[in-house]
Amino acid sequence: IEGNVENSLSLSLDDLKAMEDYFYSGTFYSLNSFGTIEYTDFTGVKLWGLLKEKALISEEATGIQVVAVDGYSMEFTVEQIKRNDYIDETNQDLKLPVIIAWKENGEEYNPEDGPPYKLVIGQKEPGDVNKPQWVRDIDKIIVE
């Protein structure tokens, strides 16, 4: 985590696993641009907690870019990352945070396959195509 933060961070998988106060485990519903629907169980840490409490994000920060090792990236506003009320359109009572996952459907990502982290985000509203916003093999998070 780098950029508009007081405390730039380079975190190992063990570092994330030690941050129990930020853990989140749950099932995320995903919809891609082809209309494919999936339910996936993830375990990880809440990204906003990590940015606010560990990286000490600046109050002037406006955006967060999540970049994969292959160059794929997604940009979010600070407000989008702060939200804890993303939904699953089939269960709108479920409120989901944005997380950095290291475990999917009970299996930890293998570090030999690339960085073992994936950004996971729920839907803003029913019909929201959220799967393209998921970033796997995260290389860095840049706060702007």
Side-chain angles (χ1 to χ4, degrees), residues 90-128:
T90 64
N91 178 6
Q92 294 183 35
D93 292 334
L94 187 62
K95 303 301 180 213
L96 303 164
V98 178
I99 68 168
I100 301 296
W102 66 76
K103 188 187 244 184
E104 185 172 329
N105 292 328
E107 298 279 325
E108 287 192 14
Y109 299 130
N110 185 347
E112 291 178 13
D113 297 335
Y117 316 109
K118 180 185 280 187
L119 178 117
V120 184
I121 188 169
Q123 294 177 288
K124 294 186 272 301
E125 59 198 26
D128 179 32

Side-chain angles (χ1 to χ4, degrees), residues 13-120:
L13 183 55
D14 287 338
D15 291 337
L16 285 184
K17 287 180 177 180
M19 296 180 183
E20 294 181 11
D21 290 349
Y22 307 106
F23 277 16
Y24 184 85
S25 288
T27 302
F28 283 75
Y29 172 93
S30 65
L31 175 64
N32 70 18
S33 51
F34 300 107
T36 305
I37 295 168
E38 291 181 293
Y39 291 92
T40 311
D41 294 323
F42 288 103
T43 298
V45 293
K46 296 176 189 175
L47 179 54
W48 180 245
L50 195 62
L51 290 169
K52 185 177 179 203
E53 306 292 329
K54 297 293 185 182
L56 306 175
I57 188 170
S58 167
E59 289 183 21
E60 287 80 42
T62 57
I64 295 154
Q65 182 181 18
V66 181
V67 183
V69 291
D70 65 3
Y72 183 81
S73 70
M74 286 297 305
E75 292 188 29
F76 302 93
T77 65
V78 170
E79 287 72 29
Q80 287 174 301
I81 299 300
K82 274 186 186 180
R83 285 181 60 172
N84 275 312
D85 62 350
Y86 287 96
I87 66 165
D88 162 347
E89 70 180 46
T90 64
N91 178 6
Q92 294 183 35
D93 292 334
L94 187 62
K95 303 301 180 213
L96 303 164
V98 178
I99 68 168
I100 301 296
W102 66 76
K103 188 187 244 184
E104 185 172 329
N105 292 328
E107 298 279 325
E108 287 192 14
Y109 299 130
N110 185 347
E112 291 178 13
D113 297 335
Y117 316 109
K118 180 185 280 187
L119 178 117
V120 184

